[in-house]
Amino acid sequence: MISLPFVAFGVVFLVFFLMSFSQYDPAVSALGENATAEQLAAYRHEMGFDRSWGEQFLSYLGGLFQGNLGVYGVNKDSVSSRIATAFPITLQLTFIALIIAVVFSVIFGVLAALYRDTWVDQVIRVISIIAIATPSFWLGVLLIYLLQIKLALLPGAGELVPFSVDPGEYLARMAMPAFSLGFPVAGQMTRIIRTSMVEELDKDYVRTAIGAGVPKRVVIARNVFRNALITPVTVLGMKIGYLMGGAIITEIIFSLPGMGTALFEGINGNEPILVQGVVLVVALAFVIINIIVDMLYVLINPRIRTV
């Protein structure tokens, strides 16, 4: 929690510094190439682009302390309003991808541990390695080609209908981007769950319980599985930040109106204020999620609480 303000300051400074190297004039990007010199000068003065880099940076920091992320574009659109509509889409995509990763990794990870060193374990190992080595953006393009263009089974673009309006259409629209985002994480988590399960199955208490007559499935369900999930749950929490970062690229590929699309609009339109707002919110969300995961890990792990 102490690192949060330092991360926020570092992100704002880095984005400001990088955007200062842009060769495009934000005034021309907003008003167009046909705008007069007077109009361009008035826009730069109103937005503060005619001031020095240091003055712009301090002004933006002052606005952040007041909860103001600024405005952008010729219509002076609010960055906060743009993020308020985009961020929930990114969270939804991240959450669905997380569910896909959890379901696949738990099923295959447990099966690989229970049937270790058999053909089942070998097949799952190959699948998990393929998943780990598959970039989510490449998988997204492949899914669009196969499931939308060739087979016409799922939409890869178009309007995102809210879940409350049409659940079926919403899930169909989110299926490909969520799977392409969650598939690599599922491969990683499968290996971690398998390793944790194998370590628990080899412990003395498991052999003692089974030798005492307790059914093996009861020991696995009540003790082995629960104890083996401590490490995977912690790693999965860290993967949430990875999923959120990957969601930005996935949204661009599938034309989802989330933070990725907003970031692309800001970069493509040379809107530094919009870029700074999007990057800042994503970075802070990543840090906050990791802080919450660390706190939960301390709560669920008795070995840490007793230290």
Side-chain angles (χ1 to χ4, degrees):
M1 189 65 70
I2 298 177
S3 63
L4 193 59
F6 297 99
V7 172
F9 177 82
V11 169
V12 174
F13 178 83
L14 182 61
V15 174
F16 249 94
F17 179 73
L18 293 177
M19 292 298 291
S20 66
F21 288 98
S22 175
Q23 299 179 353
Y24 297 97
D25 188 349
V28 176
S29 301
L31 301 180
E33 297 181 356
N34 295 326
T36 63
E38 292 78 11
Q39 291 174 327
L40 295 175
Y43 182 85
R44 296 190 193 100
H45 180 72
E46 183 179 0
M47 299 295 292
F49 294 133
D50 57 346
R51 292 180 290 177
S52 66
W53 184 90
E55 291 176 331
Q56 294 182 47
F57 182 68
L58 293 176
S59 176
Y60 186 73
L61 284 180
L64 286 180
F65 285 117
Q66 301 175 4
N68 180 19
L69 293 176
V71 296
Y72 70 98
V74 64
N75 296 323
K76 309 297 188 300
D77 297 321
S78 171
V79 174
S80 299
S81 300
R82 181 69 179 88
I83 292 177
T85 58
F87 194 55
I89 304 298
T90 301
L91 288 180
Q92 292 169 31
L93 177 59
T94 302
F95 180 71
I96 297 174
L98 184 65
I99 293 177
I100 292 174
V102 168
V103 171
F104 276 84
S105 61
V106 168
I107 293 175
F108 289 118
V110 172
L111 286 176
L114 295 179
Y115 298 95
R116 55 178 163 173
D117 299 329
T118 65
W119 69 269
V120 176
D121 186 20
Q122 298 301 326
V123 170
I124 293 176
R125 180 177 302 176
V126 171
I127 295 175
S128 62
I129 292 175
I130 293 175
I132 294 172
T134 302
S136 58
F137 64 88
W138 180 84
L139 180 58
V141 174
L142 180 63
L143 290 176
I144 291 175
Y145 177 77
L146 293 177
L147 299 182
Q148 180 187 9
I149 298 177
K150 286 295 184 180
L151 302 177
L153 294 177
L154 293 173
E159 181 183 1
L160 178 63
V161 179
F163 181 82
S164 57
V165 176
D166 191 339
E169 186 173 348
Y170 171 85
L171 293 176
R173 181 70 174 85
M174 296 289 281
M176 284 197 292
F179 182 82
S180 64
L181 185 61
F183 185 64
V185 176
Q188 300 169 16
M189 294 304 302
T190 297
R191 305 304 305 158
I192 295 173
I193 292 176
R194 180 203 180 272
T195 301
S196 297
M197 286 286 296
V198 168
E199 290 177 355
E200 287 295 322
L201 288 170
D202 288 340
K203 289 184 176 179
D204 293 335
Y205 79 88
V206 176
R207 290 190 292 268
T208 302
I210 296 176
V214 181
K216 185 176 180 180
R217 63 178 182 276
V218 175
V219 178
I220 293 174
R222 292 184 179 179
N223 302 102
V224 175
F225 182 70
R226 182 177 59 185
N227 295 335
L229 283 183
I230 293 178
T231 300
V233 166
T234 306
V235 176
L236 184 63
M238 299 177 182
K239 293 298 181 182
I240 296 177
Y242 166 82
L243 289 172
M244 185 172 295
I248 292 179
I249 300 177
T250 304
E251 288 169 353
I252 297 175
I253 296 174
F254 289 93
S255 301
L256 289 173
M259 297 291 276
T261 303
L263 181 62
F264 180 76
E265 292 175 359
I267 296 175
N268 193 45
N270 193 34
E271 298 289 351
I273 303 300
L274 178 59
V275 174
Q276 289 154 191
V278 172
V279 174
L280 177 62
V281 171
V282 172
L284 292 182
F286 177 84
V287 175
I288 292 173
I289 288 173
N290 280 276
I291 291 174
I292 294 174
V293 169
D294 291 340
M295 295 174 62
L296 291 176
Y297 180 67
V298 173
L299 292 175
I300 67 176
N301 194 338
R303 290 173 292 184
I304 294 181
R305 294 202 303 268
T306 55
V307 173

